[in-house]
Amino acid sequence: MSDTRIIFGFHAVLSRIRQNPQGVQEICVDKERVDARMKDLLTLAKEKDLRVMQLERARLDGMAANGRHQGVLARVVDTPIPYLDIHDVLESLDEPPFLLVLDGVEDPHNLGACLRVADAMGVHAVIAPKDRAAGLNATVRKVACGAAESVPFIAVTNLARTLRELKDAGVWVVGAVAEAETDLFDAKLTGPIALVLGAEGTGLRRLTAETCDALVRIPMFGAVESLNVSVASGICLYEARRQRNIS
C-alpha cells in the first residue's frame, strides 16, 4: 500500500490537482469558506472526479498541525511533486506576486531552509534552475518541515530567460549581492517583486546579476563578511514583507 501524506494551502493543492489528480485521494475543505477561490477549487475537484470532505476548521487545523492551510488540505499518495510552470502561479494570484529566486543553491539543507522561510513570509513560489542546483528530494522535504508542499517550487531550464519573462509580466527583479551600492533597507520592495539570491561562496552568477532590475546588499555590522543563503533569504524576505504590510 502506498504511503500518503497531507499537503495544504491553495497553491499546493491546486497544483497537485492540475498536475497529478490521480495521486489525490481526498480533499478536505473548511465548510464555512464559500468565497470565489474556494468555489473555483471545488469546481476543479468535481471536474477531476475527486472526493471532497467539508470539515470544521478546528479539524483542519489538527490535520495540518496548525500549519497555514487556508481552509484546504489534500491527502495525496507520497510521490514526487511534478515541476510547475511560473505562469500557473502568476495566473492564480489575486495579489502582487512575491517570489524568491535561488541561483545555484546546491545544498539540500539550504534549499529546505529557504522553502521554510519562504512559507513563513508568504512567498508565492520559489524558483531555481534545474541544473547544478538542489531539487525536491527527501532531505529538502525534511528540512522544509512541510513548506515543500505549501510553497510551489518551480525548476526552470534557463534562469536568465525566466527572469526576463518575469520582468515582461511586470515583476520587479531584485538581486542581493555584497558589492551593491543600495542598502536593502533603502530599496523599495513593494508591489510585484522577485528577490534573487545566490549560493554562499559564489553568489549570483554574472548573467543573473545583469538580468536583475536592481541590486541590493545586506548591511553587515559584525566581523563576518557573508551569510548562509537561507539566513540571507530570511532577512531579505522579512524586509520585503514588512514593507508590503505597511504600504
Side-chain angles (χ1 to χ4, degrees):
M1 182 176 179
S2 299
D3 292 333
T4 62
R5 57 191 171 86
I6 297 293
I7 63 174
F8 50 84
F10 274 96
H11 290 312
V13 174
L14 280 169
S15 295
R16 177 54 69 95
I17 294 173
R18 289 170 178 151
Q19 299 291 330
N20 184 19
Q22 296 83 2
V24 179
Q25 294 188 334
E26 66 179 7
I27 299 170
C28 301
V29 302
D30 182 351
K31 67 178 185 180
E32 299 297 328
R33 181 162 182 171
V34 292
D35 56 89
R37 201 174 189 188
M38 181 63 78
K39 290 179 180 178
D40 290 343
L41 183 142
L42 294 177
T43 297
L44 181 60
K46 185 176 181 180
E47 292 175 357
K48 302 296 184 181
D49 196 26
L50 298 174
R51 180 187 180 195
V52 176
M53 297 181 63
Q54 295 187 329
L55 305 175
E56 298 285 348
R57 187 174 185 86
R59 187 172 175 186
L60 297 180
D61 291 341
M63 294 172 68
N66 292 314
R68 191 183 56 175
H69 54 74
Q70 301 173 298
V72 57
L73 305 92
R75 194 182 307 277
V76 302
V77 177
D78 197 8
T79 55
I81 295 178
Y83 288 122
L84 307 177
D85 184 273
I86 182 59
H87 301 291
D88 292 336
V89 174
L90 295 179
E91 291 173 2
S92 71
L93 298 178
D94 52 11
E95 60 181 333
F98 185 24
L99 308 170
L100 173 64
V101 181
L102 301 174
D103 183 21
V105 175
E106 298 181 348
D107 187 337
H109 292 87
N110 283 336
L111 176 56
C114 286
L115 285 167
R116 192 172 181 181
V117 74
D119 174 82
M121 292 299 103
V123 167
H124 296 126
V126 173
I127 302 170
K130 288 182 179 179
D131 298 327
R132 297 188 179 90
L136 288 183
N137 59 27
T139 299
V140 172
R141 294 181 189 280
K142 182 177 180 180
V143 175
C145 298
E149 284 68 47
S150 61
V151 180
F153 180 77
I154 303 168
V156 299
T157 303
N158 187 312
L159 186 60
R161 182 172 62 206
T162 298
L163 294 179
R164 289 192 291 269
E165 290 176 354
L166 289 175
K167 293 166 68 172
D168 289 342
V171 177
W172 186 247
V173 178
V174 179
V177 296
E179 62 272 18
E181 296 183 2
T182 303
D183 189 300
L184 171 69
F185 305 126
D186 293 329
K188 182 180 179 181
L189 304 175
T190 55
I193 192 168
L195 291 170
V196 190
L197 287 95
E200 60 273 15
T202 57
L204 297 184
R205 290 176 293 176
R206 179 186 57 81
L207 182 57
T208 302
E210 291 177 353
T211 308
C212 292
D213 290 306
L215 298 174
V216 300
R217 63 179 177 84
I218 299 174
M220 305 290 285
F221 303 100
V224 299
E225 297 181 354
S226 63
L227 296 170
N228 176 281
V229 64
S230 63
V231 175
S233 295
I235 293 172
C236 292
L237 293 176
Y238 187 88
E239 174 60 15
R241 172 52 63 188
R242 184 191 69 81
Q243 292 188 23
R244 293 167 78 89
N245 284 355
I246 63 176
S247 62

